[in-house]
Amino acid sequence: MLALNNTNCLERPLSAGFRMLGRLVGRFPWWFLIIPIAISAGLGAGFIFLSQRQSNDIEEQFTPTGGPAKNERKFIMDHFPVNDSGQFSAQRLFTEGAFASLIAVSTSTNVLDINTFQELLKLDKAVRSLNITIPEFGSEVDFGYQQLCAEIQGPNCLSPNPLISAVQDNPELIEKVNVTYPMFQNRTFLGMYLGGVKLGPADTVLEAKALRLVYYLKEDKAQDRNKSLVWLNHFIKTIPQQIEELQLKTVQVSYFTSLSRQLEFEGNTKSVIPLFSITYFITIFFSIISCLRFDPVRNKVWVAAFGVISSGLAVLSSFGLLLFCGVPFVITVANAPFLILGVGVDDMFIMISSWQQTKVKSKVEERMADTYAEAAVSITITTLTDVLAFYIGIMTSFQSVKSFCIYTGTAILFCFLYNITCFGAFLALNGRREQSNRHWMMCTKLRDQTDSERSSVYNACCVGGSYDQVTDKEIDHPMTLFFLKYYGPFLTNIWSKLVVIVLYCGYLASSIYGCFYVQEGIDLRNLAPDNSYVVPFYENEELYFSNYGPRVMVVITKQTEYWNLDTRVKIESCMENFEKNSFVDKKLSESWLRIYVATAEERKLNISTQDLFIEHLNTFFAVAPNYKQDVDINSKDIIASRFFIQTFNVTTAVDEKELLNQLRDIASRCDIPLLVYHPAFIYFDQYAVIIQTTIANVLIAAAAMFIISILLIPNLLCALWVTFSIASIIVGVTGFMAFWDVNLDSISMINLVICIGFSVDFSAHICYAFISNVKTSVNNRMIDALHSLGYPIVQGALSTILGVIALSAAGSYIFRTFFKIMFLVIFFGALHGLMFLPVFLTILGSCCIKCFNTAKVEDKNEKHEPENANSHEHSENTLEERRNPIDSNIFHLDHF
């Protein structure tokens, strides 16, 4: 342990290397300023590829790569192709299909009355009359719904609703038809067509609140698919006007198409673009205010403004480079510039803080050397932790997370490079201005002593360059003195410690409680903007059509002897196991084999041999052609077949997860090789991996952070406290996600990865500042640590929150979720750094100090270095350590 307490073999040479770099930047600032700007201009040209690199396919980005349902879909596609010209069946689609849908909600109590149905027929007619003009064979051809619709029983279009077909354009018939639910006329399932149902005797519908119309289009041929896409786009543009012109009085109509989710998702970016300018203005304003001094020479206004510009250059360069390299640009990446802005400004504060600790009378290049030796090492540590945390996130199975982590990790790396080159050069140029005692705006030389004969306004505006004559450093900021004189003594009071311990227990208990109620998976409605037309459709669908869930395919995947009685018994046993499940309505199952066997028994047909089974099966298909789509026959071998089960009461994400897991478990235990599939399972697959992936990423990142802490922060106890802080903050963020209605999905997973890096930033430096302090009193040690780090923590936390606060006003779940979790990360991180950790360290500090001091004594006994030419410099450093022990030992906080 003592050996590990001296793990500064990397820190010392790193500090020496940055000292040389700082001296070089101070000597040649213009080169280090111009070259990064030129590189940014060159790499920024990569944005010309932005439109080509955009990859916003919802399935590709927000479902796990290699998910089981994708392989299952491939099997269905190969063995059960869709026939939408003559034998179309919606339940047999392996995708959602191409469709337009309307939900009409009655403004009274019943949608099944004459007046309402009269308006519904008008609505249906309006949709059917929508025509598009498509160039074909050198001329323009008009196409309407009748030419593009999915067909059933020959050239007839599939009805948008069975009840529409039943009334046959006569609304008066609706009150004469005996509507039963969920099966209508014992052959049509009404679960997806009729909602808000109130039943009477014999499952007769007394009243219903909503009715859905679904218009399926052809898509099995490329030419038909392209025409259908054009018609659906035309539908989206014109249907609002059509509904308005109909002046419907008895129903309210919402609409949706198979294109809507994707189109609305892609429109999310537009809602956040105006927020970039707002964010940059807020951040620049905050940076200037934070660095503002009343001394017209020591004022850092231009430095603060350029720090924000430097972060913008980092985003331009990194994004441009990755676009040149062909990395997909996903909508989640639009969050990154807000985060990078906050990170870059934090680094700027550290550089400025370290500059202010140097002696004002030293040469600029020497001040830059001292600044880099202190600050650059610090921001290197936290840059490594942040970049590593993001690059570890690339291992996830969600493409949206991968792209975000690649772009953000690379941007943080560029932000670091530009801070130690471009921003450092500007800081050096500003240092030259200060050295010559010139005004921050006018650049005219000023007096350094007040003139009693001049007015107070003149002395305030035209006299500057003051500094602490004792330490030869710039005068402390008032906020720094606040932490020294007021906050530090208050927090180390015994009663304050008791209150903080109680608060932490409450925080931890609330967080753990919330962790058990975090919902998993992304709700697809959240991918659309808040003001999207799809939102009311989703709301009506959930309100009136949530009784019944997906109609699931049960597929036999291997060649099977169906004519064998034992085999049929096994198949039937499997189906019964499915039907016993609490999510399955056994009365609504559909099996071609059951019907075929029952028909054979009724007609006394022999189906006990392969030849007879196939011969009679072909006759059966002639009578029931739909079932032919459920059997894949190659010569006389049945390669695969499928049945259907109807799920119900699948209303929450937890239900969806349980349904998927239970059905797959039943299939795996069956004696016959089975798979279960529905197009929605593509999205349900995220439940199977989201928790495991998140935990794995968090654990790997936390372990990596611990190793980096061991290598670059020379104290094992400090690394252990860092690990504790990471765990505590992650638990808090995860728990409070539940209280703030944030699901655990691929979007929030990004932020939990971020949480790792930022947890290190908050905790590492406050721990090391306390442990390495030379004072004997634990309270005095902590007061000194807060004096040195309190204001940088506040600056960093506020700058990061201000960097993302504009996202809280975004009209999109994606961006608001990013803000919410970043706010939780920053708030809880600052709370640990400024309150919880200081109290815990003072309570348990005696053990920490004893171990650390023992390690230092052993280190001195083991290493006897002879004096050399640098002995004079060493003695000067020792004197400086006596004056301000915190400044000489601490890594200034990077991100905070």
Side-chain angles (χ1 to χ4, degrees), residues 140-162:
E140 293 186 345
V141 181
D142 289 337
F143 282 90
Y145 174 74
Q146 292 297 131
Q147 289 78 37
L148 301 174
C149 66
E151 297 172 348
I152 187 170
Q153 295 177 355
N156 299 318
C157 291
L158 176 69
S159 173
N161 187 292

Side-chain angles (χ1 to χ4, degrees), residues 197-216:
V197 176
K198 183 178 179 181
L199 296 179
D203 292 334
T204 301
V205 177
L206 300 180
E207 61 184 46
K209 186 67 177 176
L211 184 140
R212 172 158 37 194
L213 305 173
V214 186
Y215 301 86
Y216 283 100

Side-chain angles (χ1 to χ4, degrees), residues 284-530:
I284 290 175
F285 180 76
F286 172 76
S287 301
I288 290 174
I289 294 299
S290 296
C291 299
L292 194 63
R293 299 291 185 273
F294 291 112
D295 189 314
V297 174
R298 305 298 173 198
N299 208 336
K300 303 291 192 298
V301 170
W302 295 119
V303 175
F306 190 81
V308 179
I309 295 173
S310 177
S311 300
L313 293 176
V315 173
L316 181 68
S317 301
S318 59
F319 280 30
L321 174 63
L322 293 172
L323 290 171
F324 268 126
C325 295
V327 179
F329 187 93
V330 187
I331 190 172
T332 51
V333 177
N335 288 306
F338 297 91
L339 177 62
I340 301 306
L341 185 59
V343 170
V345 171
D346 298 343
D347 291 349
M348 174 193 73
F349 288 142
I350 302 307
M351 297 282 283
I352 292 175
S353 176
S354 296
W355 169 269
Q356 290 170 340
Q357 295 299 321
T358 60
K359 296 180 179 180
V360 298
K361 291 303 182 181
S362 299
K363 292 182 179 180
V364 169
E365 54 192 77
E366 292 303 320
R367 296 186 70 182
M368 290 297 296
D370 292 340
T371 298
Y372 273 52
E374 192 71 24
V377 173
S378 177
I379 66 176
T380 298
I381 294 171
T382 47
T383 296
L384 280 177
T385 57
D386 289 342
V387 171
L388 188 59
F390 281 113
Y391 284 166
I392 287 173
I394 297 174
M395 297 187 301
T396 181
S397 57
F398 292 90
Q399 187 61 47
S400 58
V401 179
K402 288 183 180 180
S403 295
F404 177 85
C405 289
I406 292 173
Y407 273 91
T408 309
T410 306
I412 289 179
L413 198 56
F414 268 90
C415 198
F416 166 75
L417 294 174
Y418 281 10
N419 267 308
I420 62 174
T421 55
C422 189
F423 174 74
F426 195 87
L427 184 63
L429 293 173
N430 187 74
R432 291 183 179 183
R433 177 190 61 78
E434 291 183 5
Q435 188 177 45
S436 58
N437 219 61
R438 294 181 180 274
H439 194 278
W440 69 274
M441 178 177 287
M442 308 303 295
C443 287
T444 56
K445 283 196 173 185
L446 302 182
R447 297 166 56 93
D448 58 1
Q449 299 292 330
T450 58
D451 189 344
S452 58
E453 296 181 0
R454 296 280 191 168
S455 66
S456 58
V457 175
Y458 174 85
N459 287 325
C461 298
C462 301
V463 177
S466 62
Y467 60 94
D468 191 324
Q469 299 292 333
V470 177
T471 62
D472 291 337
K473 299 177 182 178
E474 294 187 25
I475 299 172
D476 273 346
H477 191 281
M479 281 297 294
T480 302
L481 295 177
F482 165 78
F483 280 95
L484 175 66
K485 294 183 178 180
Y486 302 104
Y487 183 75
F490 169 78
L491 190 64
T492 52
N493 180 278
I494 182 63
W495 296 109
S496 299
K497 293 180 183 180
L498 290 174
V499 172
V500 169
I501 291 173
V502 172
L503 287 175
Y504 182 78
C505 291
Y507 157 82
L508 191 60
S510 301
S511 301
I512 294 174
Y513 175 80
C515 288
F516 289 101
Y517 291 92
V518 173
Q519 298 293 317
E520 302 170 42
I522 189 166
D523 189 339
L524 294 180
R525 81 179 67 189
N526 291 330
L527 298 178
D530 297 342

Side-chain angles (χ1 to χ4, degrees), residues 14 154 171 265 282 375 444 451 460 607 629 646 686-687:
L14 196 61
F265 172 68
I282 292 174
T444 56
D451 189 344
I607 57 173
Q629 300 180 62
Q646 180 61 52
Q686 62 185 305
Y687 304 127

Side-chain angles (χ1 to χ4, degrees), residues 8 51 86 100 108 189 252 346 364 374 396 482 499 529 612 639 735 879:
N8 57 356
S51 59
S108 58
F189 178 63
Q252 294 179 340
D346 298 343
V364 169
E374 192 71 24
T396 181
F482 165 78
V499 172
L612 292 173
I639 307 301
L879 176 62

Side-chain angles (χ1 to χ4, degrees), residues 467-620:
Y467 60 94
D468 191 324
Q469 299 292 333
V470 177
T471 62
D472 291 337
K473 299 177 182 178
E474 294 187 25
I475 299 172
D476 273 346
H477 191 281
M479 281 297 294
T480 302
L481 295 177
F482 165 78
F483 280 95
L484 175 66
K485 294 183 178 180
Y486 302 104
Y487 183 75
F490 169 78
L491 190 64
T492 52
N493 180 278
I494 182 63
W495 296 109
S496 299
K497 293 180 183 180
L498 290 174
V499 172
V500 169
I501 291 173
V502 172
L503 287 175
Y504 182 78
C505 291
Y507 157 82
L508 191 60
S510 301
S511 301
I512 294 174
Y513 175 80
C515 288
F516 289 101
Y517 291 92
V518 173
Q519 298 293 317
E520 302 170 42
I522 189 166
D523 189 339
L524 294 180
R525 81 179 67 189
N526 291 330
L527 298 178
D530 297 342
N531 59 354
S532 170
Y533 63 86
V534 307
V535 174
F537 182 90
Y538 276 127
E539 290 174 348
N540 289 332
E541 188 175 49
E542 181 179 5
L543 186 60
Y544 301 111
F545 296 93
S546 59
N547 288 341
Y548 289 95
R551 190 160 180 81
V552 178
M553 301 179 192
V554 178
V555 183
I556 298 177
T557 58
K558 300 292 184 181
Q559 183 173 326
T560 305
E561 296 179 350
Y562 295 85
W563 47 88
N564 188 305
L565 181 59
D566 291 338
T567 300
R568 294 204 299 269
V569 170
K570 291 178 181 179
I571 294 173
E572 185 62 25
S573 176
C574 291
M575 286 296 293
E576 289 176 355
N577 288 336
F578 281 111
E579 292 168 342
K580 290 176 184 177
N581 186 268
S582 59
F583 288 112
V584 176
D585 189 335
K586 65 179 181 180
K587 295 181 295 184
L588 300 178
S589 299
E590 187 175 350
S591 167
W592 67 269
L593 185 59
R594 284 177 177 174
I595 297 175
Y596 175 55
V597 171
T599 302
E601 290 177 351
E602 180 182 346
R603 298 182 180 180
K604 302 185 183 311
L605 301 176
N606 183 5
I607 57 173
S608 60
T609 66
Q610 182 177 7
D611 291 337
L612 292 173
F613 189 94
I614 298 300
E615 179 184 348
H616 294 309
L617 183 62
N618 289 327
T619 305
F620 172 74

